[in-house]
Amino acid sequence: MGATLRLPGTDAARPKLAVFVSPTCRICGFLQSAVPVVERNYPEIHVVTIITGGGDDKQTYAKNFGTSARLDLGRTYASWDIPGTPYAVGLDKEQRLVSKGVVNNLDQLEAVAESTLVAITSEGAGSAPAIKS
């Protein structure tokens, strides 16, 4: 934890929650309804859904995730060594890694969001425990 990871084109004033999903991942589809809930429940976090992997129509798939979906950050998946999808990474305002974990449902996604907030409000941005993958 604590590594600096760049997420271009995001709100610099807020911590980030990068949610990695793929059109070829069946479980990822369950997050289509979870991402908007996290956006509403955690307005202080900039949620970014990063569409990775293959699939016939990534544009249509991305639309299912709404305005948080980004097709242009797919290479982030490999450069950040994301182990698979669905996966979420929490970054503080300085874009340091503060939380991460597999997110198969809303509860797990909210746990990573909550862990991100705990990390940025406690002393030392990297002091929050890692969520077990």
Side-chain angles (χ1 to χ4, degrees), residues 34-88:
V35 168
V37 172
V38 171
E39 289 177 308
R40 278 191 310 273
N41 292 347
Y42 297 88
E44 59 271 65
I45 296 176
H46 183 171
V47 178
V48 180
T49 305
I50 300 172
I51 312 299
T52 68
D56 292 335
D57 193 358
K58 288 169 69 170
Q59 292 282 352
T60 300
Y61 185 76
K63 287 179 185 175
N64 293 329
F65 284 94
T67 58
S68 74
R70 298 277 300 270
L71 291 166
D72 61 319
L73 297 174
R75 285 185 270 174
T76 306
Y77 178 81
S79 66
W80 287 9
D81 293 324
I82 301 300
T85 58
Y87 201 81

XYZ file of all heavy atoms in Angstrom, residues 34-88:
423
model
N -24.521 -1.649 -8.705
C -23.808 -1.292 -7.476
C -23.022 0.016 -7.607
O -22.968 0.807 -6.668
C -22.867 -2.424 -7.068
N -22.428 0.243 -8.770
C -21.605 1.447 -8.957
C -22.399 2.728 -8.711
O -21.943 3.602 -7.958
C -20.915 1.433 -10.340
C -20.307 2.784 -10.670
C -19.842 0.347 -10.389
N -23.599 2.893 -9.268
C -24.360 4.120 -8.990
C -24.719 4.282 -7.508
O -24.780 5.404 -7.001
C -25.628 3.975 -9.834
C -25.297 2.984 -10.878
C -24.281 2.065 -10.273
N -24.933 3.186 -6.808
C -25.237 3.259 -5.372
C -24.026 3.808 -4.617
O -24.156 4.682 -3.754
C -25.653 1.871 -4.824
C -25.768 1.897 -3.301
C -26.958 1.419 -5.457
N -22.845 3.323 -4.961
C -21.622 3.815 -4.306
C -21.397 5.287 -4.644
O -21.012 6.071 -3.779
C -20.410 2.940 -4.681
C -19.110 3.553 -4.200
C -20.585 1.534 -4.105
N -21.670 5.658 -5.876
C -21.533 7.072 -6.253
C -22.452 7.952 -5.412
O -22.054 9.041 -4.978
C -21.847 7.265 -7.734
C -20.795 6.715 -8.658
C -21.160 6.850 -10.118
O -22.275 6.427 -10.504
O -20.336 7.362 -10.889
N -23.677 7.494 -5.166
C -24.628 8.265 -4.345
C -24.233 8.253 -2.869
O -24.322 9.271 -2.186
C -26.039 7.699 -4.484
C -26.784 8.158 -5.695
C -28.263 7.788 -5.640
N -28.506 6.385 -5.324
C -28.561 5.400 -6.205
N -28.365 5.646 -7.481
N -28.819 4.163 -5.817
N -23.832 7.090 -2.359
C -23.537 6.950 -0.933
C -22.198 7.544 -0.521
O -21.986 7.817 0.660
C -23.588 5.481 -0.515
C -24.990 4.920 -0.568
O -25.973 5.649 -0.687
N -25.097 3.605 -0.492
N -21.289 7.722 -1.473
C -19.946 8.241 -1.183
C -19.613 9.391 -2.138
O -18.699 9.289 -2.950
C -18.905 7.123 -1.301
C -19.116 6.009 -0.313
C -19.940 4.922 -0.608
C -18.527 6.056 0.950
C -20.156 3.910 0.311
C -18.735 5.042 1.878
C -19.554 3.975 1.543
O -19.769 2.978 2.467
N -20.338 10.502 -2.033
C -20.117 11.607 -2.979
C -18.725 12.237 -2.857
O -18.279 12.908 -3.788
C -21.216 12.610 -2.612
C -21.555 12.297 -1.194
C -21.364 10.820 -1.038
N -18.057 12.002 -1.739
C -16.721 12.550 -1.561
C -15.655 11.778 -2.328
O -14.515 12.205 -2.432
C -16.357 12.629 -0.075
C -16.377 11.288 0.652
C -17.738 10.916 1.243
O -18.703 10.712 0.486
O -17.823 10.800 2.464
N -16.031 10.631 -2.909
C -15.108 9.807 -3.692
C -15.483 9.893 -5.167
O -16.644 9.756 -5.535
C -15.165 8.332 -3.227
C -14.681 8.205 -1.779
C -14.325 7.451 -4.148
C -14.785 6.795 -1.218
N -14.489 10.096 -6.014
C -14.694 10.081 -7.462
C -14.594 8.625 -7.917
O -13.521 8.032 -7.914
C -13.643 10.935 -8.152
C -13.821 11.034 -9.630
N -13.094 11.891 -10.401
C -14.649 10.397 -10.484
C -13.459 11.772 -11.655
N -14.394 10.862 -11.730
N -15.718 8.040 -8.316
C -15.767 6.659 -8.774
C -15.513 6.628 -10.277
O -16.126 7.367 -11.037
C -17.134 6.003 -8.460
C -17.172 4.568 -8.986
C -17.412 6.035 -6.957
N -14.577 5.754 -10.679
C -14.238 5.583 -12.086
C -14.334 4.096 -12.395
O -13.667 3.288 -11.757
C -12.810 6.086 -12.384
C -12.468 5.891 -13.853
C -12.656 7.531 -11.976
N -15.180 3.727 -13.336
C -15.303 2.336 -13.753
C -14.444 2.153 -14.998
O -14.701 2.777 -16.029
C -16.761 1.974 -14.062
O -17.565 2.282 -12.920
C -16.895 0.494 -14.372
N -13.417 1.318 -14.877
C -12.466 1.110 -15.962
C -12.827 -0.185 -16.685
O -12.804 -1.262 -16.087
C -11.029 1.082 -15.426
C -10.724 2.428 -14.744
C -10.043 0.784 -16.549
C -9.415 2.487 -14.013
N -13.185 -0.047 -17.953
C -13.580 -1.190 -18.770
C -12.313 -1.801 -19.364
O -11.566 -1.131 -20.072
C -14.553 -0.770 -19.899
C -15.695 0.114 -19.356
C -15.064 -1.987 -20.641
C -16.576 -0.524 -18.324
N -12.074 -3.064 -19.055
C -10.872 -3.753 -19.518
C -11.254 -4.949 -20.367
O -12.427 -5.285 -20.495
C -10.045 -4.254 -18.319
O -10.770 -5.293 -17.665
C -9.750 -3.143 -17.339
N -10.252 -5.618 -20.900
C -10.479 -6.880 -21.586
C -11.166 -6.729 -22.923
O -11.303 -5.642 -23.467
N -11.618 -7.872 -23.418
C -12.225 -7.924 -24.742
C -13.727 -7.770 -24.691
O -14.289 -7.216 -23.763
N -14.338 -8.285 -25.673
C -15.790 -8.165 -25.792
C -16.139 -7.513 -27.110
O -15.387 -6.697 -27.620
N -17.265 -7.896 -27.636
C -17.671 -7.407 -28.947
C -18.033 -5.929 -28.943
O -17.691 -5.199 -29.854
C -18.864 -8.210 -29.471
C -18.476 -9.638 -29.784
O -17.281 -9.882 -30.048
O -19.362 -10.503 -29.745
N -18.728 -5.485 -27.921
C -19.212 -4.109 -27.926
C -18.939 -3.441 -26.587
O -19.820 -3.305 -25.741
C -20.700 -4.087 -28.263
C -21.186 -2.694 -28.599
O -20.377 -1.733 -28.529
O -22.365 -2.557 -28.933
N -17.701 -3.010 -26.401
C -17.316 -2.370 -25.142
C -18.055 -1.052 -24.930
O -18.309 -0.665 -23.796
C -15.807 -2.173 -25.089
C -15.059 -3.490 -24.886
C -13.566 -3.375 -25.080
C -12.876 -2.598 -24.023
N -11.408 -2.702 -24.098
N -18.396 -0.357 -26.013
C -19.117 0.913 -25.899
C -20.472 0.708 -25.226
O -20.837 1.438 -24.309
C -19.324 1.543 -27.289
C -18.061 2.017 -27.941
C -17.589 3.347 -27.371
O -18.277 3.989 -26.591
N -16.409 3.757 -27.764
N -21.216 -0.283 -25.679
C -22.525 -0.579 -25.094
C -22.371 -1.018 -23.652
O -23.122 -0.589 -22.776
C -23.253 -1.664 -25.907
O -23.419 -1.178 -27.246
C -24.621 -1.985 -25.316
N -21.388 -1.865 -23.389
C -21.129 -2.332 -22.027
C -20.821 -1.146 -21.115
O -21.337 -1.055 -20.007
C -19.969 -3.331 -22.046
C -19.689 -3.978 -20.719
C -20.513 -4.980 -20.224
C -18.595 -3.595 -19.959
C -20.253 -5.587 -19.007
C -18.327 -4.199 -18.742
C -19.157 -5.191 -18.271
O -18.896 -5.786 -17.059
N -19.991 -0.227 -21.591
C -19.620 0.944 -20.800
C -20.841 1.795 -20.455
O -20.948 2.310 -19.340
C -18.589 1.780 -21.555
N -21.773 1.926 -21.384
C -22.981 2.728 -21.139
C -23.796 2.172 -19.970
O -24.461 2.928 -19.271
C -23.844 2.795 -22.391
C -23.267 3.677 -23.465
C -24.136 3.694 -24.708
C -23.474 4.496 -25.797
N -24.223 4.440 -27.048
N -23.707 0.865 -19.747
C -24.428 0.252 -18.619
C -23.896 0.727 -17.273
O -24.583 0.608 -16.266
C -24.348 -1.274 -18.704
C -25.090 -1.831 -19.888
O -26.083 -1.267 -20.335
N -24.604 -2.930 -20.417
N -22.682 1.255 -17.249
C -22.092 1.754 -16.004
C -22.249 3.263 -15.865
O -21.811 3.848 -14.885
C -20.613 1.364 -15.917
C -20.422 -0.084 -15.555
C -20.268 -1.034 -16.538
C -20.436 -0.488 -14.235
C -20.111 -2.368 -16.219
C -20.281 -1.817 -13.903
C -20.115 -2.765 -14.897
N -22.862 3.897 -16.824
C -23.144 5.322 -16.722
C -21.925 6.193 -16.914
O -20.951 5.808 -17.557
N -21.967 7.368 -16.311
C -20.944 8.377 -16.543
C -19.593 8.034 -15.921
O -18.593 8.649 -16.267
C -21.399 9.748 -15.995
O -21.676 9.627 -14.599
C -22.637 10.239 -16.731
N -19.553 7.056 -15.021
C -18.276 6.707 -14.399
C -17.410 5.849 -15.313
O -16.222 5.668 -15.059
C -18.504 5.963 -13.085
O -18.945 4.631 -13.322
N -17.966 5.304 -16.406
C -17.245 4.358 -17.266
C -16.183 5.053 -18.104
O -16.419 6.114 -18.672
C -18.223 3.623 -18.173
N -15.019 4.415 -18.163
C -13.910 4.920 -18.969
C -13.328 3.786 -19.799
O -12.885 2.780 -19.257
C -12.814 5.495 -18.072
C -13.214 6.685 -17.216
C -13.153 7.995 -17.967
N -11.865 8.318 -18.485
C -10.931 9.008 -17.828
N -11.170 9.450 -16.617
N -9.764 9.263 -18.404
N -13.335 3.954 -21.091
C -12.737 2.974 -22.002
C -11.261 3.273 -22.258
O -10.510 2.402 -22.658
C -13.483 2.965 -23.342
C -14.899 2.403 -23.291
C -15.657 2.745 -24.557
C -14.851 0.901 -23.078
N -10.856 4.509 -22.011
C -9.499 4.942 -22.339
C -8.453 4.552 -21.295
O -7.272 4.800 -21.484
C -9.472 6.458 -22.545
C -9.895 7.238 -21.308
O -10.858 6.812 -20.639
O -9.265 8.266 -21.013
N -8.858 3.940 -20.197
C -7.915 3.588 -19.141
C -7.672 2.087 -19.028
O -7.155 1.603 -18.029
C -8.406 4.132 -17.787
C -8.501 5.652 -17.688
C -9.126 6.064 -16.370
C -7.126 6.286 -17.843
N -8.029 1.331 -20.051
C -7.891 -0.120 -20.019
C -6.475 -0.602 -19.751
O -6.267 -1.612 -19.088
N -5.472 0.135 -20.222
C -4.082 -0.268 -19.985
C -3.682 -0.140 -18.522
O -2.705 -0.726 -18.092
C -3.132 0.530 -20.866
C -3.177 0.045 -22.312
C -2.173 0.746 -23.136
N -2.836 1.944 -23.662
C -2.250 2.878 -24.352
N -0.987 2.792 -24.616
N -2.934 3.906 -24.796
N -4.445 0.629 -17.764
C -4.185 0.760 -16.326
C -4.255 -0.605 -15.660
O -3.508 -0.885 -14.733
C -5.228 1.710 -15.695
O -5.216 2.931 -16.403
C -4.943 1.971 -14.244
N -5.130 -1.459 -16.150
C -5.322 -2.806 -15.606
C -3.995 -3.552 -15.529
O -3.632 -4.099 -14.491
C -6.329 -3.551 -16.491
C -6.611 -4.971 -16.103
C -7.507 -5.259 -15.093
C -5.999 -6.029 -16.761
C -7.794 -6.567 -14.740
C -6.275 -7.334 -16.419
C -7.175 -7.598 -15.406
O -7.447 -8.884 -15.050
N -3.256 -3.578 -16.604
C -1.978 -4.295 -16.644
C -0.889 -3.538 -15.890
O -0.119 -4.138 -15.138
C -1.560 -4.533 -18.091
N -0.830 -2.228 -16.062
C 0.253 -1.472 -15.431
C 0.133 -1.427 -13.910
O 1.130 -1.251 -13.222
C 0.330 -0.060 -16.013
O -0.815 0.692 -15.690
N -1.067 -1.592 -13.384
C -1.251 -1.616 -11.932
C -1.230 -3.037 -11.372
O -1.452 -3.237 -10.188
C -2.572 -0.969 -11.553
C -2.616 0.520 -11.692
C -1.697 1.343 -12.269
C -3.663 1.369 -11.222
N -2.118 2.644 -12.215
C -3.331 2.692 -11.562
C -4.860 1.127 -10.565
C -4.131 3.778 -11.255
C -5.662 2.223 -10.268
C -5.295 3.528 -10.598
N -1.021 -4.034 -12.216
C -0.993 -5.444 -11.791
C -2.289 -5.867 -11.106
O -2.272 -6.533 -10.066
C 0.198 -5.725 -10.869
C 1.527 -5.609 -11.598
O 1.587 -5.988 -12.782
O 2.505 -5.142 -10.984
N -3.400 -5.499 -11.691
C -4.707 -5.905 -11.163
C -4.842 -7.412 -11.397
O -4.666 -7.879 -12.517
C -5.847 -5.119 -11.855
C -5.658 -3.616 -11.650
C -7.214 -5.589 -11.369
C -5.651 -3.139 -10.225
N -5.171 -8.191 -10.355
C -5.167 -9.650 -10.484
C -6.323 -10.237 -11.279
O -6.256 -11.391 -11.705
C -5.215 -10.132 -9.035
C -5.850 -9.017 -8.284
C -5.435 -7.760 -8.991
N -7.386 -9.496 -11.498
C -8.545 -9.995 -12.231
C -9.721 -9.061 -12.041
O -9.622 -8.066 -11.326
N -10.814 -9.368 -12.683
C -12.018 -8.557 -12.524
C -13.117 -9.417 -11.921
O -13.105 -10.641 -12.112
C -12.491 -8.008 -13.888
O -12.733 -9.071 -14.788
C -11.489 -7.045 -14.472
N -13.995 -8.792 -11.181
C -14.067 -7.382 -10.786
C -13.130 -7.089 -9.615
O -12.953 -7.910 -8.720
C -15.523 -7.202 -10.379
C -15.955 -8.557 -9.909
C -15.166 -9.551 -10.725
N -12.544 -5.903 -9.628
C -11.567 -5.502 -8.625
C -11.681 -3.993 -8.431
O -11.981 -3.276 -9.385
C -10.155 -5.858 -9.104
C -9.132 -5.957 -8.013
C -9.022 -7.108 -7.239
C -8.254 -4.915 -7.762
C -8.063 -7.209 -6.235
C -7.303 -5.005 -6.767
C -7.209 -6.162 -6.013
O -6.259 -6.260 -5.014
N -11.447 -3.527 -7.229
C -11.501 -2.086 -6.961
C -10.237 -1.643 -6.228
O -9.675 -2.389 -5.424
C -12.727 -1.727 -6.127
